[in-house]
Amino acid sequence: MSQLGANKLSVAFAGLKALSEVDLAINTGQITGLIGPNGAGKTTLVNVLTGFQAPTSGAVTLNGTALSGLQPHQIRRKGIARTFQGGRLFRDLAVIDNLEVTGVGLGLSRARARAEAAAMLEWIGIAALANRIAGTLPYTDERRVAIGRALIGKPAYVLLDEPAAGMSGPEAAELSRLVHRIASEMGCGVLLIEHNVGLVLKLCDHIVVLDSGAVIESGTPDAIRNSEKVRHAYMGTAAETAAPVLETLI
Ligand SMILES: Nc1ncnc2c1ncn2[C@@H]1O[C@H](COP(=O)(O)OP(=O)(O)O)[C@@H](O)[C@H]1O
Ligand SMILES: [Mg+2]
């Protein structure tokens, strides 16, 4: 088993502490959940882990070795991949081309990248979408394509930033099955950011809770379910966000 770690990561934006000494470990083959109210610092943490944001202090570690000063594409080549909250596909390209371009960017020949792209779409169950123009896809398909693209090159880790946001219950359940397979069949270490706490409690091996940039709790789903601190963190947030979360925790 190998491990991607955050070691006392802090990020300050002009005085705002987006992250404060955050520690976190993602193990291959496991799903780590990252939850917390809006503005807690979840996306900032993913940005730091993938080289899109430099930390103010602290380090990202891969099997204990610091990955300092690397660019996002260098981190990707080390097997740490991500999706973005907004999908960010190449909208004018066909679905399969979106995946192929990524493979070529990772150093595969065009033929190998194409073959891997086709196999990935098959594995996800969206081979029928291969020739669709990415920008014309419904939102839920776009998310699955974005996950497929992140999995090109067989990364050891994949960080998913709210992949189920806006999905219906059945759509989110299908996405959960995909996330589970990414860990169990591919052996990937998954970091899952997700507002549906019920889904996170069901799916994750380990959960980390961020609030105002700091880790306020981390542990098994049961420990999180019973945490007063977690309940308290969600109490101060907008009622429409907090109510379903609190219902799940109670
Ligand atoms: N590039 C940036 N410049 C300034 N402030 C930022 C930037 N990115 C995020 N923030 C702020 O940092 C905090 C954490 O944001 P974010 O990581 O996006 O939270 P989350 O993903 O948990 O909703 C928020 O207060 C947000 O406004
Ligand atoms: Mg976010």
Side-chain angles (χ1 to χ4, degrees):
M1 189 171 72
S2 63
Q3 190 176 71
L4 175 65
N7 189 350
K8 290 197 183 311
L9 282 180
S10 296
V11 170
F13 293 119
L16 170 85
K17 280 197 144 190
L19 294 178
S20 301
E21 308 216 325
V22 169
D23 287 321
L24 172 113
I26 305 167
N27 295 315
T28 49
Q30 295 194 350
I31 306 173
T32 300
L34 180 63
I35 63 172
N38 279 330
K42 303 178 300 293
T43 296
T44 302
L45 180 55
V46 167
N47 286 342
V48 175
L49 290 169
T50 52
F52 287 82
Q53 168 71 50
T56 310
S57 62
V60 177
T61 60
L62 188 56
N63 298 323
T65 305
L67 298 179
S68 303
L70 297 184
Q71 294 299 309
H73 70 274
Q74 294 171 309
I75 293 196
R76 179 66 164 88
R77 283 188 176 217
K78 286 192 176 289
I80 304 162
R82 70 173 294 176
T83 61
F84 293 89
Q85 256 177 292
R88 289 209 203 171
L89 296 177
F90 300 114
R91 299 184 59 80
D92 298 334
L93 293 186
V95 164
I96 191 162
D97 295 336
N98 264 271
L99 275 64
E100 182 186 326
V101 162
T102 298
V104 171
L106 288 169
L108 301 179
S109 68
R110 277 201 71 171
R112 267 202 64 196
R114 187 107 188 142
E116 196 178 322
M120 183 59 65
L121 295 175
E122 193 75 50
W123 186 81
I124 293 176
I126 53 174
L129 300 179
N131 296 313
R132 293 278 298 276
I133 298 299
T136 67
L137 292 177
Y139 187 61
T140 52
D141 287 336
E142 195 184 346
R143 295 288 173 74
R144 291 189 295 169
V145 174
I147 292 172
R149 190 172 64 171
L151 294 172
I152 291 289
K154 309 212 164 27
Y157 305 92
V158 66
L159 318 182
L160 305 175
D161 198 351
E162 300 197 22
M167 289 189 180
S168 68
E171 287 164 350
E174 194 185 338
L175 185 93
S176 294
R177 286 191 289 276
L178 175 61
V179 172
H180 185 265
R181 289 175 61 220
I182 293 169
S184 64
E185 293 178 24
M186 287 193 170
C188 249
V190 179
L191 182 74
L192 177 67
I193 298 181
E194 175 51 51
H195 278 296
N196 180 339
V197 175
L199 188 155
V200 170
L201 291 170
K202 225 182 284 171
L203 198 57
C204 295
D205 299 289
H206 187 87
I207 298 166
V208 175
V209 187
L210 271 186
D211 188 25
S212 303
V215 174
I216 58 160
E217 195 73 274
S218 95
T220 61
D222 270 345
I224 299 302
R225 200 178 275 117
N226 295 317
S227 165
E228 271 305 316
K229 283 187 210 158
V230 175
R231 195 164 308 177
H232 191 79
Y234 279 97
M235 298 255 191
T237 63
E240 63 272 21
T241 319
V245 173
L246 292 170
E247 235 164 65
T248 315
L249 292 173
I250 287 161

